Amino acid sequence: MCGIIGYIGPNPAYPVLINGLKRLEYRGYDSAGISILDGTPKVYKCMGKIQDLEDYVSGKDITGSVGIGHTRWATHGEPNDINAHPHTSRDGHFIIIHNGIIENWDLLKKELERNGYSFVSDTDTEVLANLIEHIYLSGDIKAEAAVRLALTKVVGTYGLVVICRNEPDQLIAARCSSPLVIGIGSSEYFIASDASPIAEYTKSVIYLNDNDVAIIKKDELILKTLQVDEPKITLQNLNIETGKYEKDGFDHYMLKEIFEQPRSIADTFRGRLVPDQSDIKLGGLHSVLTQIQNARRIIIVACGTSWHAALIGEYLIEDLCRIPVEVEYASEFRYRDPVLGPEDIVVAISQSGETADTLAAVRLAKEAGALVLGICNVTGSGLSRETHAGVYTHAGIEIGVASTKAFTAQITVLTMIALLLGNKRELITGDKYRSLIGEMHSIPSKIEVLLKQDAKIRSIAAGFKDVCSMLFIGRGYCFPVALEGALKLKEISYIHAEGYPAAEMKHGPIALIDNNMPVVVIGIRDKSYEKIVSNVQEIKARKGIVIAIVSEGDEQIASIADHVIEIPSTNIIFSSLLSVIPLQLLSYHIAVLRECNIDQPRNLAKSVTVE
Ligand code: M6R
């Protein structure tokens, strides 16, 4: 969480910092700050958005070609001006920005207090700034040595950048579990918590590994580890499209990203569904395909929306390949001592590729000897670097905190994997395989058709903007979609929402039904269709209000529901790619009508890089 940007070079640092913070604002947005060095360091920080920081800095001295910036998502200490980063050490020797959590901050703080330090903020970061300073002042050592020594005393996670007042020609950066990427320009360097703010300046980047420490000067980059050894470094070409960050006329990134789904799904299968529609090629899995094909079981780990995609993956792989699949919350999996071994295949799904729990689950699975695969949207992210093999989703950068196009891209990849494995295992043969591949090609145009119902969905949303709670139910492939619909609604509109398998209603939730309770029913025609018709009748018998997502031409549910949204006909295995679209739009419009902050909902951040 939190966004970090740093610059050192011949040019003014301020534009790089402020534009970088705007790119990073999706990671955290409760306060922000910068420090710029032009001989002496200046620090400007305040509570609020980047725009508030810009207003605050306006008219102040921003000269300098070395600087750091930070946008915060509070962990220690409430969002306010003082807790905003950068933090300055007591005697002003060090200025630091930090992403992560220093878990032993309390012990370190007490130790520093015994050495005469006092603290102005409630943050763990200020403790770190003072610890570095204390070590620096206690011996005749360089700033980078003080940083490295201080970090050996730290328990926790960090991605940090440090300025030392006495050594103003360098930035010192270090990483442990919180991503940092260095961009290499011509006599200039950039550093950031992800590549998005530096992609417009350079395509050459180095991703720091855990325990790396970088000493970054205008014309020199020295990489060490906490233990001094030189790490292996990899220069990568950034595969990020710049200029795709605008809203392109949409009111919000979320809406833009919902409408991008015909393209993002097509981009995800482009080159993988081979042109004559006879096969699927997933280059990233080629070397391990036989092992996956013969898997005893597959475990999928993920968080949030990616976990919902994982559930759909379970249904797809079990249906089409007959391989048992278990889906785990990464946060539970990593701590519950799961039974794992070299014969297991673990698939980690993450849009950002930087979710702390998902990365920890990957490491655990690797330690147990499992083959670990990744499904990820961000090139060069932790997940893509730490897994043995994997498949990128090509959804493009997702800025809205509420995940939309990444979800459907993940399902697209999972569907391709299931179809490919099903074919290799001779469970889907010849004509059937070709016809399913052909049908997959038609999904983007079916979504185009669905998106034309936006105005209708907006008018349905108007009737629900003041509700306190909403239920979402479905069966089979529609159940994970119900979970996702509920998550979308709660995270952006702050309306309480729950998703259930429809049959579970009778085991408790049906007690909630009265004439104030809207229930979104995802009732796509499949083998359990008649059952869900009964569920709708049960809700109506108790005066609940039903918004039904149904297959094109449906008459049974349509005749009893209060509101009906049709999705184009498709094979049930592709249905979640369609049925989730009206739910995304419904949540979006309800949240807009409630005047919520769509792209930056309260308390959330785009990538959860702390546990
Ligand atoms: O980057 P990841 O896919 O690993 O992120 C996982 C969740 O944090 C994420 O899906 C979150 O639930 C979204 N805000 C949902 O819209």
Side-chain angles (χ1 to χ4, degrees), residues 435-492:
S435 114
L436 289 172
I437 291 172
E439 193 164 343
M440 196 157 183
H441 269 288
S442 72
I443 294 298
S445 58
K446 289 180 178 171
I447 294 179
E448 297 281 10
V449 171
L450 247 178
L451 290 169
K452 297 210 166 84
Q453 299 194 60
D454 182 43
K456 174 182 174 180
I457 295 169
R458 189 167 58 229
S459 77
I460 295 174
F464 298 96
K465 77 176 181 51
D466 296 319
V467 299
C468 304
S469 193
M470 213 184 255
L471 296 179
F472 290 71
I473 61 169
R475 287 171 180 257
Y477 287 96
C478 300
F479 161 54
V481 175
L483 295 178
E484 177 60 7
L487 177 61
K488 286 290 87 84
L489 185 68
K490 71 183 118 183
E491 71 180 326
I492 60 167

Side-chain angles (χ1 to χ4, degrees), residues 1 254 301-308 349-359 375-378 383 398 400-404 406-407 410 484 487-488 491-492 601 604-609:
M1 328 196 64
M254 182 184 178
V301 295
C303 302
T305 286
S306 298
W307 187 83
H308 298 154
I349 306 179
S350 172
Q351 186 285 129
S352 61
E354 300 294 358
T355 299
D357 284 323
T358 308
L359 288 178
I375 296 176
C376 178
N377 198 37
V378 179
L383 188 67
E398 191 179 63
V401 164
S403 188
T404 52
F407 177 67
Q410 289 164 346
E484 177 60 7
L487 177 61
K488 286 290 87 84
E491 71 180 326
I492 60 167
L604 292 175
K606 182 68 182 163
S607 66
V608 182
T609 54

Side-chain angles (χ1 to χ4, degrees), residues 101-353:
I101 296 176
I102 307 300
E103 288 170 8
N104 59 339
W105 65 277
D106 205 16
L107 276 177
L108 296 171
K109 186 173 180 178
K110 287 197 176 92
E111 177 71 29
L112 287 163
E113 279 168 346
R114 279 195 289 277
N115 282 292
Y117 274 85
S118 57
F119 295 81
V120 293
S121 80
D122 308 314
T123 66
D124 51 347
T125 306
E126 189 191 5
V127 175
L128 191 51
N130 283 332
L131 178 66
I132 295 169
E133 181 176 271
H134 178 60
I135 291 170
Y136 181 71
L137 295 177
S138 310
D140 182 18
I141 55 173
K142 292 261 186 211
E144 57 105 340
V147 170
R148 293 215 325 277
L149 200 51
L151 291 177
T152 60
K153 299 181 189 306
V154 159
V155 178
T157 59
Y158 51 80
L160 55 86
V161 189
V162 180
I163 286 174
C164 176
R165 191 180 60 193
N166 296 344
E167 299 174 38
D169 57 345
Q170 66 181 14
L171 299 173
I172 302 164
R175 168 200 158 129
C176 177
S177 292
S178 284
L180 279 180
V181 54
I182 297 175
I184 302 161
S186 155
S187 294
E188 62 182 354
Y189 289 95
F190 307 82
I191 182 151
S193 43
D194 69 50
S196 58
I198 54 182
E200 64 190 272
Y201 303 107
T202 177
K203 304 277 179 221
S204 289
V205 296
I206 294 172
Y207 285 89
L208 293 191
N209 292 316
D210 279 351
N211 296 323
D212 282 356
V213 178
I215 300 111
I216 311 166
K217 305 187 180 196
K218 280 194 173 88
D219 42 19
E220 189 180 25
L221 171 65
I222 304 162
L223 282 177
K224 299 184 175 180
T225 68
L226 281 190
Q227 295 75 28
V228 181
D229 298 325
E230 202 166 306
K232 282 188 191 164
I233 57 171
T234 9
L235 279 178
Q236 306 198 7
N237 270 331
L238 269 185
N239 200 8
I240 291 180
E241 298 164 68
T242 55
K244 290 282 179 197
Y245 295 89
E246 307 311 322
K247 291 188 195 133
D248 292 345
F250 288 94
D251 287 342
H252 301 98
Y253 283 110
M254 182 184 178
L255 190 62
K256 178 192 172 209
E257 287 159 4
I258 292 172
F259 273 80
E260 272 176 358
Q261 288 175 103
R263 184 202 51 76
S264 53
I265 290 173
D267 284 351
T268 299
F269 66 56
R270 181 166 298 114
R272 290 160 166 176
L273 301 185
V274 294
D276 65 354
Q277 304 191 354
S278 62
D279 206 358
I280 294 171
K281 298 252 183 275
L282 296 172
L285 297 185
H286 185 67
S287 59
V288 288
L289 201 55
T290 312
Q291 193 177 343
I292 309 172
Q293 195 180 319
N294 296 320
R296 184 189 66 157
R297 67 167 175 167
I298 294 174
I299 300 163
I300 313 183
V301 295
C303 302
T305 286
S306 298
W307 187 83
H308 298 154
L311 282 182
I312 293 167
E314 175 186 15
Y315 290 24
L316 287 164
I317 294 168
E318 294 206 342
D319 263 5
L320 302 176
C321 320
R322 310 309 297 156
I323 299 172
V325 178
E326 291 166 27
V327 176
E328 299 259 8
Y329 285 112
S331 53
E332 289 296 312
F333 182 78
R334 65 178 287 194
Y335 284 121
R336 70 169 186 76
D337 197 13
V339 180
L340 262 183
E343 63 290 348
D344 285 312
I345 292 178
V346 173
V347 181
I349 306 179
S350 172
Q351 186 285 129
S352 61

